Amino acid sequence: MNNYNIEDILKEISQNFKNFTTEIENIESMESLYVLKTKYLGSKSFIINVLSNIKNLPNDLKPVVGKEANIVKKQIEQKINDKEKYFKSLQFEQELLKERIDLTLPGTKLNIGRKHIISQVIEEIEEIFIGMGFNIAEGPEVETEYYNFEALNTPEDHPARSLHDTFFISENILLRTQTSPVQIRYMEKNKPPIYIISPGKVYRRDYDISHIPMFTQIEGLVVDYGINFRNLKWILEKFVHEIFGKERKVRFRPHYFPFTEPSAEVDVSCNICNGKGCRTCGGSGWLEILGAGMVDPNLYKYVGYNADEISGFAFGMGIERICMLKFGINDIRLFYENDLRFINQF
Ligand code: PHE
């Protein structure tokens, strides 16, 4: 540019732009676009060189060259920007394609939880008794010896106390071995008429095919004016027919519980042999389902009732046992092993 021929300078500038336009046509990647950008707009590029040398030109050429070089510089910048945008949108489209979701593919199946069979049967039993006018009452699983034994007519030297293999937490504090303590707790706080059932967990030191250390019972208690054994029989028969079916027979066998007098164990006719006797019922034709009896009047002393005015009955059943009989399950431990192949059947 030393001879300052304006024609030549302008020609060179337009040639530079022409070269640029042909080269940018062939650019196919962002990387080579950046290389091109350095070549045409970098500090060593032709156009930048022209612009920084303007100060050396004769005054009359300065505006002409300056104007032209700036126009070309702007155009180069514009074209590079456009190309850059184009590559970016291309890249975005490709990313979208890669991430495309096939909506027609089947989704991952969610494993929907369900109520445990024991909870289902508890609810079924609750509904039967609620239908007969009973309320639901609950009590603590950690109990005192007083509520679990003493107030249930089972003093320390009573042989029944050794029948229960009890988990003691400390002296006088234990895991309840039965739901019967709820009877006492409820009577302490309420006056007759009382119609309650009380479901809950109970604990005994036992483990085999028909015993586990934690299981579920439902207690029943009725205390009212003029309650007698026939009322107990009617209610339990009604319950058995609801839960096992109308064709099942019910029988009461004399038994002993410290807190009921008279006491009975209640059997239901075996559904496998229809009462004829088979392996399931041990040849007897009957299956034991619960314990029951008239509330021993002694209990009323503990809760301040007048035994001459009122009377009542109580019953207690193991839910796992009811489930086993209802569904033909032969090992109580299955309920708590949490094997989904078992649990999902209900
Ligand atoms: N609590 C007794 C048991 O666990 C069952 C029972 C309850 C018996 C109520 C009679 C009355 O064996």
Side-chain angles (χ1 to χ4, degrees):
M1 291 204 298
N2 282 342
N3 53 4
Y4 307 131
N5 182 330
I6 184 71
E7 298 295 320
D8 286 349
I9 298 174
L10 293 183
K11 222 176 174 179
E12 265 187 273
I13 291 177
S14 87
Q15 186 57 46
N16 179 258
F17 185 64
K18 257 190 204 149
N19 293 349
F20 168 76
T21 42
T22 5
E23 277 181 57
I24 200 167
E25 286 294 306
N26 297 321
I27 292 293
E28 269 165 8
S29 73
M30 201 70 116
E31 288 76 22
S32 31
L33 182 68
Y34 288 143
V35 174
L36 188 78
K37 188 177 177 180
T38 318
K39 182 173 171 189
Y40 283 94
L41 290 175
S43 55
K44 288 182 184 131
S45 64
F46 170 79
I47 207 76
I48 296 299
N49 204 23
V50 170
L51 285 167
S52 52
N53 277 318
I54 280 182
K55 54 183 184 296
N56 302 325
L57 291 177
N59 277 345
D60 56 334
L61 293 189
K62 277 180 187 167
V64 190
V65 174
K67 189 182 168 200
E68 193 58 24
N70 267 319
I71 289 174
V72 165
K73 183 175 168 254
K74 281 229 170 69
Q75 282 178 332
I76 292 176
E77 279 169 351
Q78 185 62 48
K79 276 189 189 296
I80 284 177
N81 279 347
D82 289 350
K83 196 87 175 176
E84 198 174 18
K85 267 191 207 144
Y86 167 74
F87 281 138
K88 275 192 178 149
S89 69
L90 213 65
Q91 204 180 350
F92 183 62
E93 259 172 47
Q94 273 164 358
E95 272 166 21
L96 279 186
L97 273 179
K98 254 192 266 164
E99 286 171 12
R100 201 171 73 172
I101 297 166
D102 184 351
L103 293 176
T104 63
L105 281 176
T108 332
K109 230 184 177 179
L110 285 179
N111 196 3
I112 297 172
R114 65 181 75 204
K115 275 189 187 144
H116 191 277
I117 176 61
I118 296 296
S119 305
Q120 289 181 38
V121 171
I122 289 176
E123 280 179 16
E124 192 182 340
I125 295 174
E126 283 177 350
E127 265 167 39
I128 294 171
F129 282 102
I130 286 170
M132 295 195 275
F134 282 67
N135 288 321
I136 294 173
E138 282 183 343
E141 286 168 34
V142 177
E143 261 300 3
T144 59
E145 274 194 294
Y146 175 78
Y147 285 108
N148 196 78
F149 291 123
E150 234 148 278
L152 286 166
N153 217 19
T154 320
E156 202 163 351
D157 54 354
H158 199 287
R161 243 160 131 150
S162 63
L163 291 178
H164 298 296
D165 276 321
T166 310
F167 286 109
F168 274 91
I169 287 179
S170 62
E171 221 190 316
N172 298 327
I173 308 287
L174 44 78
L175 294 180
R176 66 178 178 189
T177 60
Q178 49 189 354
T179 41
S180 303
V182 182
Q183 291 186 26
I184 304 296
R185 287 184 176 277
Y186 196 85
M187 287 194 283
E188 276 181 347
K189 292 215 174 78
N190 298 275
K191 293 265 160 279
I194 287 170
Y195 291 81
I196 55 157
I197 56 161
S198 178
K201 294 187 183 80
V202 299
Y203 302 84
R204 290 181 200 176
R205 292 158 62 111
D206 248 338
Y207 188 68
D208 60 37
I209 191 165
S210 49
H211 299 90
I212 38 176
M214 182 213 81
F215 62 104
T216 322
Q217 282 190 337
I218 287 192
E219 189 81 12
L221 175 70
V222 168
V223 182
D224 204 344
Y225 299 87
I227 294 292
N228 58 44
F229 204 90
R230 277 175 302 157
N231 304 136
L232 170 62
K233 282 188 80 173
W234 184 87
I235 289 227
L236 289 182
E237 259 170 38
K238 189 113 183 109
F239 163 70
V240 166
H241 289 159
E242 292 267 346
I243 194 122
F244 291 116
K246 283 217 164 23
E247 68 288 352
R248 306 293 282 273
K249 290 193 189 72
V250 182
R251 109 179 154 175
F252 286 67
R253 255 184 306 112
H255 197 72
Y256 169 78
F257 294 106
F259 39 89
T260 46
E261 183 60 36
S263 303
E265 269 190 338
V266 178
D267 299 338
V268 55
S269 59
C270 178
N271 58 327
I272 307 286
C273 60
N274 235 331
K276 288 187 192 75
C278 67
R279 241 180 46 190
T280 303
C281 58
S284 71
W286 296 96
L287 300 159
E288 183 215 318
I289 54 159
L290 56 85
M294 299 308 291
V295 177
D296 191 314
N298 258 348
L299 261 63
Y300 298 135
K301 287 187 215 148
Y302 288 97
V303 296
Y305 287 4
N306 184 350
D308 295 331
E309 283 178 3
I310 43 92
S311 55
F313 62 76
F315 55 89
M317 66 188 105
I319 304 307
E320 287 79 4
R321 180 155 174 83
I322 302 277
C323 277
M324 288 167 85
L325 297 177
K326 198 170 157 71
F327 298 106
I329 296 159
N330 56 10
D331 188 338
I332 194 171
R333 294 170 292 198
L334 285 169
F335 290 117
Y336 297 105
E337 278 166 1
N338 287 335
D339 184 337
L340 290 178
R341 290 169 302 179
F342 173 77
I343 287 184
N344 283 341
Q345 290 179 49
F346 304 100

